[in-house]
Amino acid sequence: MKKLTRILAMMLVLVLVLGCFAGCKKNPVDDPNGTGGSNAAAKDSYTYRSYISQLGTTWNPHAWETDYDQTIMQYLETPLATMSIKDSEKGVYQWVYKAAESVTDVTAANKGDLTKYKVTLPAGQTAEQTEKGYVFEIKLNPDMKWQDGTPINADTYIYSMKALLDPKMMNYRANLYYNGESAVAGGYNYYYALSKDLYTAIAYADIGKHSGKIYLDTTELDATGFSDASGNALPKYLSISDETIYNDAEMNVISGRKLFLDYKDYYEKGQLKLFLHQVNENYNENYAETYDATVGCYKVDDYTIRYVTQAQIDINYFLTSCTSNWLVYESLYEGGKDTSGKLVTTNYATDMANTMSYGPYKIESLQKGKQVVLVQNENYYEYTKKEDGTLYAETDYEVDGEKVQSWQTTKIVIDQMTDETAKQAFLKGEMSEWTPSADEMANYNFSDQMYRVDETYTMSLFFNTKVSALKEMDKSKGNQNSVVLSNHNFRKAFSLAINRADWVTATAGYKPSYALMSDLYYYDVYNDPNSTYRSTKAAMDAICDLYGVHYVDGSLYATVEEAYDSITGYNLTKAKELMKQACAELVQAGLYTEGQDIKILVAYSGGELGSSEQNQITKLNEYLNEAMDGSGFGTITLEGVGNVASRHGKIGSGEYAIGYGGWGGAAFYPFRNMQVYCDTEEYDINESACWNPATETLTIEIDGQKVTKTWQEWSRSMVGTGPYANASEGIKLDITATMEREFLNKYYRIPLASSCAASLLSYQVSYYTENYNIMYGFGGMELLRYNYNDAKWADYVETAGGTLSYE
């Protein structure tokens, strides 16, 4: 369950938490100033106590992976810029500088950088004609320091960028900086400097058409820009040996990229698959010496850097990328390196001893798998020390017309615990927030302390559909007849059998979902605050097509909006029909014996399974057995498994046949969303056992022309330097919607619900504003207010008899 702590946190570029509506008007309790109390030592102590089902394992900005990691990391770093409240009543936001003093587009004055760092210009445009969108000057905040007092300057940023992109390390989070909208110019080549084989494409050759030669059908390659040095298409005959197919000499260089063809000894549909590997022209064992000349992130003076983007970007979207940061502390980062493996790794930011904060808080204590305690970082630039030794901060910008106190919280305690344990602590006044279970939610629906906020995450079931892997799981992993998941009609019936409107009642804070992206993705938010992807005709058409809901003349629905709004994802009649068909197909294929029972273990959670998760699984079993009744199948039992580390990867490796989890974030970048399902180089895709999107192709009609690319290529095509990155919004919407529909139609993944953080907030604290806004939430931890200090709160809880009521 996603906790409200993320909503309190500073907004990060890839985890912009979105909201549907704010909580009720609050009735603050006594003593709003939090003064007095019997414990004098705690007079100015304000502790926020939170919990999570699993503590993070690394808060290294170069390597973090999960939301659990970010829960800790968000307090230890400072973004270059962020968004905050300007007018809370009218919902007006403002950009606020933090680790930066300013960010300015200086492209017009630095056009030479476009050539030096080889940026990607729009077709027909020269560097001299380019006036904006590539070179951004970042004036750094000279008051920024690490928690030990070490200054943070331009050298810190350049070292950290070199370390992030280091090809010997292949850092996971480098993908945000060598790829995507705000990729640093030259970052891609630097990151892959030690990779000899950069790219894999695919073509097909008809078998038996030619004697002694095989004709290479390059139609698909032409669409991705492959041609000979003169720009001509590539209808060439290629000789084959037992192991390798070689290029004709005149084909050795294709669009400036050397390729070799690797023959793979298998056939599909009468065709031979040819895998084309691109030789890295920029391979360089002495890569470290090339950074200054090739990577567009450089020092101007001690407190100024310039950041050159590979592709053109609007200043607002560049500022959005500045809401995260890439800094690491050099001596700890280097001291933690391990060079014994194929890649160099570092233990930086995995424990208290190897962590250095430059955010408003620092780690005071850490018990792995149990608790982390953070306290104010006395060297954080916003704090001033009062005469009594306590730290005080206020905004250097105006909120609702005045500067206000910030970072009032003096301590943050995050415990690893279940919702049930947290409930007991919350009602005793020992927890600042709590997420009620679905069964208990009704008791608190009208509480003044209840907050509900929609999130971008879509929760789904995802599968391993590989027959050989499923057979092995049936033999050795505790499954029985899990091989049924290999059948497309079975998986489609599985989806249509789920009554999502009922399923979400098993868990607090979920809404039914039938697609990959929720209602909270915006494709042009800075120019049109209503530009949600899901409300576009392309996106609605895609889901209507998927579920067979039509709105033509004479049909039940007159408009696409009416048709889309009617979708529930639930069709028991169709599910029964498909189950019967699936059973017959599986029996005919010799994969299943009619009437046998089915049991499948589901990797359901990285933490312990709670009552909500068990209720979810119970309902899934009920839906499936109802759909399978009379189909020829026996009964099915899905058995949830908790405490499964790296459960997403264990689906692909064949440890489990079904996994449960969610993708979310990047709310303002819907056109990059499909990469998490298709880009095998950037992401460890959950469906890796089902298909290879780097080789499988998809044809999409663009402006009346059919264009074929691999799924991976399509997923990259609208971001960074992709061929459609600067295309019209209409084209990008059509591509995204087509990909979403066609991927969902594979039923490798079944969306169930979009998440909504629904939590009770302690009487001790209040959000700055009750009016939630997509840009700044409720004001975050920075503007959180305390109705009681710790001592006064303890007195209040004692007066209440040690148990509080929030109903």
Side-chain angles (χ1 to χ4, degrees), residues 214-227:
I214 289 182
Y215 182 72
L216 172 61
D217 180 359
T218 61
T219 305
E220 295 165 356
L221 296 182
D222 291 344
T224 66
F226 282 83
S227 59

Side-chain angles (χ1 to χ4, degrees), residues 98-357:
K98 292 286 186 178
E101 285 194 331
S102 65
V103 178
T104 310
D105 188 334
V106 294
T107 304
N110 296 277
K111 295 181 181 181
D113 282 353
L114 278 61
T115 302
K116 178 179 180 179
Y117 299 110
K118 300 179 181 179
V119 307
T120 304
L121 295 166
Q125 184 172 314
T126 67
E128 189 56 38
Q129 295 169 331
T130 305
E131 299 294 325
K132 63 181 180 179
Y134 283 97
V135 187
F136 298 89
E137 187 162 283
I138 302 173
K139 293 286 187 181
L140 300 174
N141 181 346
D143 296 327
M144 284 292 300
K145 296 180 176 66
W146 294 101
Q147 71 181 60
D148 66 354
T150 301
I152 294 174
N153 54 29
D155 292 329
T156 314
Y157 278 84
I158 302 308
Y159 164 78
S160 298
M161 181 60 78
K162 287 182 180 179
L164 172 63
L165 296 174
D166 189 344
K168 287 185 178 180
M169 300 187 75
M170 304 295 281
N171 283 306
Y172 180 74
R173 287 295 167 184
N175 66 340
L176 303 178
Y177 294 89
Y178 70 73
N179 197 13
E181 299 80 10
S182 58
V184 62
Y188 182 90
N189 286 338
Y190 190 81
Y191 182 79
Y192 285 108
L194 298 180
S195 301
K196 294 182 178 180
D197 186 6
L198 279 183
Y199 182 89
T200 302
I202 188 170
Y204 296 92
D206 291 334
I207 296 168
K209 246 186 179 182
H210 305 282
S211 175
K213 300 259 185 173
I214 289 182
Y215 182 72
L216 172 61
D217 180 359
T218 61
T219 305
E220 295 165 356
L221 296 182
D222 291 344
T224 66
F226 282 83
S227 59
D228 65 22
S230 301
N232 301 315
L234 300 172
K236 301 290 184 179
Y237 290 93
L238 306 174
S239 301
I240 74 168
S241 67
D242 291 338
E243 296 180 355
T244 308
I245 298 180
Y246 295 95
N247 310 57
D248 287 343
E250 65 271 23
M251 290 175 56
N252 191 44
V253 177
I254 302 176
S255 297
R257 296 175 292 187
K258 291 182 180 178
L259 300 175
F260 64 89
L261 285 77
D262 184 18
Y263 165 59
K264 299 298 183 184
D265 188 21
Y266 63 87
Y267 302 86
E268 284 192 3
K269 299 179 182 177
Q271 291 182 318
L272 172 68
K273 276 191 174 182
L274 303 172
F275 292 82
L276 284 70
H277 303 271
Q278 179 183 349
V279 177
N280 184 5
E281 298 287 302
N282 296 294
Y283 178 81
N284 184 3
E285 292 183 350
N286 300 315
Y287 69 93
E289 300 171 6
T290 70
Y291 178 92
D292 292 339
T294 62
V295 180
C297 182
Y298 63 91
K299 175 182 176 179
V300 177
D301 58 42
D302 285 348
Y303 286 97
T304 307
I305 64 172
R306 289 199 189 115
Y307 189 112
V308 185
T309 57
Q310 187 67 53
Q312 197 164 30
I313 187 172
D314 177 82
I315 182 66
N316 282 300
Y317 283 100
F318 184 77
L319 283 171
T320 302
S321 73
C322 290
T323 59
S324 62
N325 213 325
W326 64 87
L327 297 188
V328 291
Y329 191 82
E330 183 172 355
S331 62
L332 291 178
Y333 194 89
E334 293 294 328
K337 282 186 175 179
D338 180 352
T339 60
S340 63
K342 183 178 180 181
L343 292 174
V344 176
T345 61
T346 179
N347 67 2
Y348 181 74
T350 58
D351 209 335
M352 180 177 170
N354 53 40
T355 297
M356 188 67 71
S357 171

Side-chain angles (χ1 to χ4, degrees), residues 730-764:
I731 287 176
K732 289 189 282 190
L733 287 167
D734 284 343
I735 294 172
T736 303
T738 301
M739 293 188 72
E740 184 181 31
R741 180 191 68 218
E742 293 303 308
F743 177 76
L744 285 170
N745 195 44
K746 293 177 180 293
Y747 293 96
Y748 297 152
R749 189 178 198 91
I750 296 177
L752 299 175
S754 57
S755 63
C756 179
S759 292
L760 286 166
L761 197 63
S762 165
Y763 292 126
Q764 186 185 9

Side-chain angles (χ1 to χ4, degrees), residues 45 51 63 93 96 283 386 416-417 432 436 453 485 488 536 577 620 653 661 664 670 682 723 729 757 785 790:
S45 174
Y51 73 102
Y93 77 94
V96 173
Y283 178 81
K386 296 160 61 174
Q416 180 172 308
M417 62 174 63
S432 302
V453 179
L485 294 175
H488 178 270
T536 66
E577 175 186 321
L620 289 174
S653 66
E682 301 302 317
E729 303 292 0
R785 293 288 176 262
D790 291 346

Side-chain angles (χ1 to χ4, degrees), residues 489-781:
N489 283 324
F490 182 88
R491 300 193 305 274
K492 184 174 182 179
F494 192 130
S495 178
L496 295 176
I498 299 172
N499 184 341
R500 291 162 174 80
D502 177 68
W503 187 82
V504 297
T505 65
T507 306
Y510 278 175
K511 293 183 175 181
S513 184
Y514 333 104
L516 296 177
M517 281 183 275
S518 70
D519 296 332
L520 302 178
Y521 282 85
Y522 294 74
Y523 59 87
D524 191 22
V525 70
Y526 296 113
N527 297 309
D528 180 3
N530 297 313
S531 61
T532 58
Y533 166 72
R534 281 267 73 92
S535 67
T536 66
K537 185 177 185 299
M540 288 189 288
D541 272 338
I543 304 306
C544 287
D545 288 346
L546 180 71
Y547 290 100
V549 180
H550 307 292
Y551 57 97
V552 295
D553 289 344
S555 65
L556 187 59
Y557 308 106
T559 65
V560 64
E561 290 82 4
E562 288 182 8
Y564 179 76
D565 289 343
S566 74
I567 294 171
T568 66
Y570 178 54
N571 188 334
L572 183 58
T573 301
K574 185 65 174 178
K576 282 180 169 291
E577 175 186 321
L578 289 170
M579 282 295 186
K580 190 171 184 178
Q581 186 176 342
C583 183
E585 290 170 349
L586 287 160
V587 170
Q588 184 177 7
L591 296 174
Y592 175 75
T593 300
E594 187 170 345
Q596 288 188 343
D597 291 340
I598 301 165
K599 177 185 176 182
I600 305 176
L601 301 182
V602 182
Y604 214 80
S605 175
E608 184 179 341
L609 293 187
S611 59
S612 292
E613 288 84 2
Q614 296 290 5
N615 289 340
Q616 292 171 1
I617 297 164
T618 296
K619 284 183 175 291
L620 289 174
N621 281 318
E622 292 172 355
Y623 306 144
L624 289 173
N625 279 296
E626 185 176 9
M628 294 165 72
D629 185 35
S631 66
F633 286 117
T635 60
I636 187 170
T637 301
L638 302 182
E639 182 179 311
V641 182
N643 297 313
V644 181
S646 304
R647 64 188 185 280
H648 305 90
K650 289 185 177 178
I651 307 304
S653 66
E655 292 292 313
Y656 293 91
I658 304 178
Y660 173 73
W663 280 109
F668 301 161
Y669 300 101
F671 303 132
R672 79 145 78 120
N673 186 271
M674 290 303 299
Q675 281 188 277
V676 301
Y677 308 103
C678 302
D679 196 334
T680 57
E681 292 182 21
E682 301 302 317
Y683 297 92
D684 296 325
I685 62 170
N686 299 167
E687 303 80 12
S688 60
C690 302
W691 69 322
N692 185 356
T695 60
E696 188 168 322
T697 59
L698 173 67
T699 299
I700 300 177
E701 188 170 299
I702 307 292
D703 286 339
Q705 299 293 319
K706 291 184 177 180
V707 180
T708 302
K709 296 180 182 294
T710 67
W711 282 80
Q712 179 170 273
E713 289 166 343
W714 277 120
S715 74
R716 297 174 172 180
S717 68
M718 297 167 286
V719 298
T721 60
Y724 298 107
N726 295 313
S728 68
E729 303 292 0
I731 287 176
K732 289 189 282 190
L733 287 167
D734 284 343
I735 294 172
T736 303
T738 301
M739 293 188 72
E740 184 181 31
R741 180 191 68 218
E742 293 303 308
F743 177 76
L744 285 170
N745 195 44
K746 293 177 180 293
Y747 293 96
Y748 297 152
R749 189 178 198 91
I750 296 177
L752 299 175
S754 57
S755 63
C756 179
S759 292
L760 286 166
L761 197 63
S762 165
Y763 292 126
Q764 186 185 9
V765 293
S766 295
Y767 295 129
Y768 177 86
T769 179
E770 299 290 318
N771 301 316
Y772 187 86
N773 186 281
I774 182 178
M775 298 299 193
Y776 51 70
F778 296 112
M781 181 65 80

Side-chain angles (χ1 to χ4, degrees), residues 3-5 8 46-53 55 370-372 411-436 449 759-766 784 786 790 793-794 796-797 802-806:
K3 302 300 176 208
L4 212 58
T5 39
L8 293 170
Y46 302 93
T47 303
Y48 194 89
R49 298 172 177 87
S50 181
Y51 73 102
I52 196 166
S53 62
L55 278 181
K370 186 174 182 181
Q371 183 190 76
V372 60
K411 179 182 289 188
I412 300 169
V413 180
I414 305 173
D415 286 297
Q416 180 172 308
M417 62 174 63
T418 64
D419 286 338
E420 182 58 34
T421 303
K423 173 188 176 181
Q424 303 306 318
F426 181 75
L427 296 179
K428 291 178 181 178
E430 299 169 356
M431 194 64 61
S432 302
E433 61 178 74
W434 170 58
T435 300
Q449 297 301 109
S759 292
L760 286 166
L761 197 63
S762 165
Y763 292 126
Q764 186 185 9
V765 293
S766 295
L784 187 73
Y786 280 77
D790 291 346
W793 177 243
Y796 177 82
V797 174
T803 301
L804 305 176
S805 174
Y806 287 87

Side-chain angles (χ1 to χ4, degrees), residues 5-6 9-10 12 52 54-60 64 66-77 349-352 355 357 359-363 365-374 412-416:
T5 39
R6 290 206 309 280
M10 297 176 290
L12 301 176
I52 196 166
Q54 179 183 341
L55 278 181
T57 57
T58 178
W59 33 100
N60 175 357
W64 72 274
T66 70
D67 204 40
Y68 306 123
D69 298 332
Q70 196 181 72
T71 297
I72 298 173
M73 186 177 74
Q74 62 195 355
Y75 300 117
L76 305 176
E77 69 171 18
T350 58
D351 209 335
M352 180 177 170
T355 297
S357 171
Y361 299 94
K362 63 182 181 180
I363 298 177
S365 65
L366 173 65
Q367 300 176 67
K368 291 188 176 181
K370 186 174 182 181
Q371 183 190 76
V372 60
V373 177
L374 303 108
I412 300 169
V413 180
I414 305 173
D415 286 297
Q416 180 172 308

